[in-house]
């Protein structure tokens, strides 16, 4: 039997713009896809055709993969399982949003056109002035309808003709339903969503050219795990700030949507919501209120480089390698002490990264992880900020979510890899020897490339906040009689002092230890064709340029009285080309203002990548003349 569209499918949708897909009387709706095309925001527009009527529609981004994979194609048939009809402002027109569908048929040979039949005679009706064509086969004549007589009414026109005489109360009686977040768009009229408040920001005051006011943001999640950020200003902020409680579920309506500002958005959604004084927020207190699923978009650890110092937040999953004790960090802004805990995780890329947990996450889940660290648990973390400490580092925020040993395919796969081979594999920090390729973080090595003289000739750099640059240079001199390392705690890497009696005392961990580590903290002169400057190196970066650990270098220094092996090791480290990622801030020393240039990442020169970079720079110079 040949597959075809459902009769009057579009009329059925127009008569019920917000159906309940779970009801028993949900109609069978099969339409043909026409004029399928990609829009600018990764969504696909199309025209739904039932042979008699057509209706403009759109597939949301959640269905883009079905189009990209070829499952949904132009001229193909789909069964619409769930949908929403939106009114387009200032136009007598409706727009179809397909939120769920099934593929019925691959592309047909042509567009389906409805043919009117006489039910009793089973022959085609003969309109006036139609041409009669005799069939060579026995049976009734076939009527060809002249093309100029065909015309199509818009779906909105037919819907108005069918329902225009209904009483207003009857029209308003059409059932409303809860809309999934994925179906919302700025052109939609009335909608109601059911969401849980998964993050609540602080009420902040602001002052700009238009005046003063207050604002706060919330993050909302529906039962499908789709998220959206909502913002409230001034009176609406004061109205809803106390009403919104973290973790509670709400029905929300009468809000507006706009395209999200990518620079400031905190969730994966093309749109953001604004709630005003007329918006409706009602707590969903009924039993069995949904628990939204936490959706993750994991970034492999070895691909975190491009996100360094970026506003975009990331999700990661990894096996816990180590957990530090809780540390107390004093904020410079208000001198407040806050708890912090560092955990190191690894994944199948055989790279590790340090995740800093702050405040409650450090004392609650952080303590839980410390207790089970010997079991190598898998953790999934949502919404982390990527910084450049030690090349690449991660920090939790107030909106971060941590799931320990999640029941997901990614978690099971990672745990299986770790148990079978990962635990025996050598691991390296993702920030150490950062590759200059764009996929693994070298974007930071080739963006903001400057010469040494550019930095040294601009003493005001970094006055408001640290600035970051990349440079290519050579270690020209390492002063051998400087204090090149310090005694560090084996747990938190902070400086230790000799304890009374024996051992070493760590102020951060508040404990004695029989042993300690040596960690680099050295200064070296770096030169390029334009000039030279003194750069500060921390442990990981110094190990890369010196070629050995501080413990090994200390051993060389103590081998002979004249220190020849030690001197030779430092000499071997000079005049080797490196790529440096540095931060620049001004500081005062003996009442003299000078620059502090700190190396954040060191990588060897990839000559192929370096050649491509130089060719691009030459092309820019040629193009400017």
């Amino acid at each position: 039997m040949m597959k075809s569209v459902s009769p009057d499918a579009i009329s059925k949708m127009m008569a019920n713009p917000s159906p309940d897909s779970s009801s028993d009387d949900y109609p069978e709706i099969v339409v043909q896809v026409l004029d399928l095309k990609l829009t600018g925001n990764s969504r696909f527009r199309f025209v739904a055709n039932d042979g008699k009527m057509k209706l403009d529609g759109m597939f949301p981004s959640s269905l883009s993969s079905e189009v990209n994979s070829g499952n949904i194609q132009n001229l193909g048939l789909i069964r619409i399982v769930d949908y929403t009809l939106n009114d387009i402002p200032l136009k007598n027109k409706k727009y179809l949003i397909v939120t769920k569908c099934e593929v019925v048929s691959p592309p047909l040979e042509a567009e389906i056109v409805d043919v009117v039949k006489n039910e009793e005679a089973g022959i085609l009706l003969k309109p006036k002035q139609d041409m009669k064509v005799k069939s060579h086969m026995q049976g009734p004549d076939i009527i060809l309808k002249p093309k100029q007589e065909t015309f199509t009414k818009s779906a909105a026109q037919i819907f108005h003709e069918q329902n225009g005489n209904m009483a207003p109360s009857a029209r308003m009686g059409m059932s409303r339903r809860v809309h999934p977040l994925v179906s919302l768009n700025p052109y939609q009229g009335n909608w109601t969503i059911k969401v849980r408040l998964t993050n609540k920001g602080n009420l902040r005051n602001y002052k700009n050219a238009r005046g003063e006011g207050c604002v706060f943001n919330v993050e909302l999640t529906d039962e499908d795990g789709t998220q959206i950020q909502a913002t409230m200003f001034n009176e609406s902020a004061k109205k809803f700030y106390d009403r919104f409680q973290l973790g509670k579920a709400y029905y929300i309506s009468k809000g507006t949507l706009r395209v999200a500002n990518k620079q400031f958005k905190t969730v994966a959604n093309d749109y953001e919501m604004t709630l005003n004084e007329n918006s409706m927020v009602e707590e969903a207190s009924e039993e069995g209120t949904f628990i939204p699923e936490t959706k993750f978009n994991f970034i492999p650890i070895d691909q975190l480089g491009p996100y360094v110092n970026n506003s975009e937040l990331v999700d990661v999953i990894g096996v816990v390698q180590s957990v530090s004790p809780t540390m107390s960090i004093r904020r410079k802004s208000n001198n407040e002490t806050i708890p912090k805990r560092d955990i190191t995780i690894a994944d199948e890329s055989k790279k590790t990264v340090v995740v800093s947990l702050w405040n409650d996450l450090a004392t609650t889940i952080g303590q839980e992880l410390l207790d089970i660290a010997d079991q190598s648990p898998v953790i999934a973390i949502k919404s982390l900020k990527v910084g450049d400490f030690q090349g690449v580092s991660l920090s939790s925020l107030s909106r971060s979510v941590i799931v320990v040993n999640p029941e997901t395919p990614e978690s099971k796969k990672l745990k299986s890899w770790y148990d079978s081979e990962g635990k025996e594999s050598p691991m390296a920090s993702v920030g150490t020897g950062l590759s200059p390729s764009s996929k693994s973080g070298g974007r930071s090595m080739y963006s903001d490339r400057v010469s040494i003289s550019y930095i040294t000739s601009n003493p005001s750099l970094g006055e408001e906040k640290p600035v970051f640059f990349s440079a290519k240079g050579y270690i020209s001199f390492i002063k051998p009689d400087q204090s090149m390392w310090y005694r560090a705690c084996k747990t938190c890497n902070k400086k230790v002092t000799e304890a009374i009696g024996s051992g070493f005392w760590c102020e951060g961990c508040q404990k004695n230890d029989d042993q300690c580590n040596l960690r680099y903290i050295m200064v070296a002169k770096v030169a390029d064709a334009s000039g030279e400057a003194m750069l500060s190196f921390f442990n990981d970066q110094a190990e890369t340029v010196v070629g050995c650990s501080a413990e090994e270098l200390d051993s060389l220094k103590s081998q002979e009285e004249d220190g020849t092996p030690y001197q030779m090791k430092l000499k071997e480290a000079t005049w080797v080309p490196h790529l440096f990622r540095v931060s620049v801030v001004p500081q005062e020393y003996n009442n003299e203002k000078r620059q502090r240039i700190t190396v954040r990442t060191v990588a060897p020169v990839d000559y192929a990548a370096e050649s491509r970079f130089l060719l691009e720079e030459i092309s820019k110079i040629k193009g400017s003349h």
Side-chain angles (χ1 to χ4, degrees), residues 276-296:
N276 56 40
E277 295 178 66
N278 298 320
S279 299
M280 304 294 293
V281 177
E282 179 185 350
E283 184 177 344
S285 56
E286 71 271 14
E287 293 184 8
T289 301
F290 71 93
I291 300 176
E293 174 191 359
T294 301
K295 285 189 175 180
F296 294 94

Side-chain angles (χ1 to χ4, degrees), residues 27-61:
E28 174 79 0
I29 301 174
V30 177
V31 297
Q32 186 181 32
V33 176
L34 300 178
D35 299 331
L36 183 64
K37 64 178 108 177
L38 177 67
T39 64
N41 55 1
S42 301
R43 301 182 180 211
F44 286 88
R45 296 180 183 273
F46 75 104
V47 175
N49 172 44
D50 68 1
K52 182 188 298 184
M53 296 170 58
K54 294 180 180 179
L55 181 62
D56 289 336
M58 182 178 70
F59 294 114
S61 54

Side-chain angles (χ1 to χ4, degrees), residues 235-458:
E235 295 303 318
S236 60
K238 297 173 184 177
K239 176 181 178 181
F240 293 120
Y241 184 76
D242 291 330
R243 187 175 304 181
F244 275 124
Q245 298 296 319
L246 194 64
K248 290 188 176 181
Y250 298 90
Y251 290 104
I252 299 177
S253 59
K254 297 185 178 180
T256 58
L257 278 86
R258 64 179 181 180
V259 176
N261 186 332
K262 292 184 178 181
Q263 184 178 356
F264 301 109
K265 74 174 186 176
T266 58
V267 298
N269 199 313
D270 295 332
Y271 302 116
E272 60 186 6
M273 184 182 298
T274 301
L275 300 180
N276 56 40
E277 295 178 66
N278 298 320
S279 299
M280 304 294 293
V281 177
E282 179 185 350
E283 184 177 344
S285 56
E286 71 271 14
E287 293 184 8
T289 301
F290 71 93
I291 300 176
E293 174 191 359
T294 301
K295 285 189 175 180
F296 294 94
N297 182 24
F298 295 122
I299 304 297
I301 292 176
D302 65 343
Q303 296 180 23
L304 289 173
Y307 298 89
V308 171
N309 296 324
N310 200 320
S311 60
E312 187 174 355
L313 304 180
V314 301
D315 305 342
V316 297
I317 186 170
V319 181
V320 175
Q321 302 290 287
S322 64
V323 182
S324 77
T326 303
M327 298 170 275
S328 295
I329 304 297
R330 193 176 299 277
R331 281 180 174 160
K332 293 182 180 179
S333 57
N334 55 11
N335 214 29
E336 179 186 356
T337 300
I338 55 174
K340 173 194 175 188
R341 190 190 300 268
D342 289 338
I343 62 174
T344 302
I345 61 173
D347 67 5
E348 290 172 283
S349 66
K350 297 182 182 179
K351 295 290 185 181
T352 64
V353 68
V354 175
V355 183
S356 295
L357 305 182
W358 299 88
N359 297 310
D360 291 343
L361 289 178
T363 56
T364 55
I365 293 183
Q367 183 61 45
E368 177 187 342
L369 291 173
L370 181 62
D371 295 338
I372 61 173
D374 58 338
Q375 302 173 21
S376 300
V378 173
I379 60 169
I381 313 178
K382 186 172 186 63
S383 300
L384 290 170
K385 178 72 175 175
V386 186
D388 63 357
F389 181 69
Q390 294 183 345
V392 179
S393 61
L394 301 173
S395 289
S396 68
L397 305 172
S398 59
R399 66 175 61 91
S400 300
V401 177
I402 301 179
V403 181
V404 181
N405 291 323
E407 292 294 328
T408 63
E410 296 92 343
S411 175
K412 294 176 181 177
K413 180 184 177 185
L414 183 60
K415 186 64 174 175
S416 175
W417 165 81
Y418 188 77
D419 290 340
S420 61
E421 61 173 293
K423 64 173 64 175
E424 305 297 334
S425 300
M427 302 284 182
S429 171
V430 66
T432 302
L434 194 64
S435 170
S437 66
S438 60
K439 291 184 178 179
S440 58
R443 174 175 176 264
S444 59
M445 283 298 188
Y446 285 94
S447 60
D448 314 314
R449 173 72 76 86
V450 298
S451 63
I452 297 292
S453 64
Y454 174 84
I455 298 175
T456 56
S457 62
N458 290 277

